[in-house]
Amino acid sequence: MTKNDDCLFCKIIDGKIPSTKVYEDEKMLVFKDIEPKAKVHLLAIAKDHFKLLSEMDGQQAELVKYMLTKIPQIAKENGCENGYRIVINQGADAGQTVFHLHLHILGGEQLGW
């Protein structure tokens, strides 16, 4: 899997920066966001470094598909029994601040827009 030595999330994956992990396997890591926007705010990151959905190759698209199949159980186990929101910011105008593909999982309360 591709890594970027300057990437914050690659450093978290490598254990160089601590995180509060809630799930990890060979393909993805899920941890608590340090600036939560909801009662439950998790970040699911691919262990393969790529920045945007538009940069995905076929293998990375399969990785995102895999992540999406794991998220429902992870969300439920972390307090999102009544529903959750998945957000994927793409680019600076969308609010992406770490340019390593990641999915925000928000829930644990009634969410507004």
Side-chain angles (χ1 to χ4, degrees):
M1 293 202 180
T2 305
K3 296 272 175 88
N4 178 329
D5 292 336
D6 296 324
C7 172
L8 173 70
F9 288 167
C10 287
K11 290 177 184 178
I12 290 172
I13 291 166
D14 288 341
K16 295 176 183 172
I17 295 176
S19 66
T20 305
K21 296 177 188 179
V22 299
Y23 178 84
E24 183 173 18
D25 65 24
E26 69 281 352
K27 297 179 181 183
M28 65 186 284
L29 172 66
V30 182
F31 57 95
K32 293 183 179 181
D33 193 300
I34 61 170
E35 294 181 10
K37 306 299 185 217
K39 184 176 178 183
V40 175
H41 188 166
L42 307 174
L43 295 176
I45 60 175
K47 287 191 173 180
D48 191 6
H49 178 88
F50 60 102
K51 298 176 186 179
L52 301 166
L53 293 171
S54 61
E55 294 180 353
M56 288 187 307
D57 61 24
Q59 186 175 1
Q60 291 163 334
E62 286 298 315
L63 175 58
V64 172
K65 178 181 170 184
Y66 172 82
M67 292 172 69
L68 289 169
T69 64
K70 299 298 269 184
I71 285 174
Q73 186 62 36
I74 295 165
K76 183 177 179 182
E77 291 171 355
N78 285 277
C80 298
E81 299 86 2
N82 295 322
Y84 56 93
R85 181 177 296 155
I86 296 173
V87 176
I88 306 173
N89 296 321
Q90 295 289 278
D93 283 355
Q96 186 175 9
T97 57
V98 178
F99 287 87
H100 178 126
L101 187 84
H102 57 287
L103 293 78
H104 295 261
I105 304 164
L106 302 152
E109 63 184 327
Q110 183 84 39
L111 299 174
W113 283 103

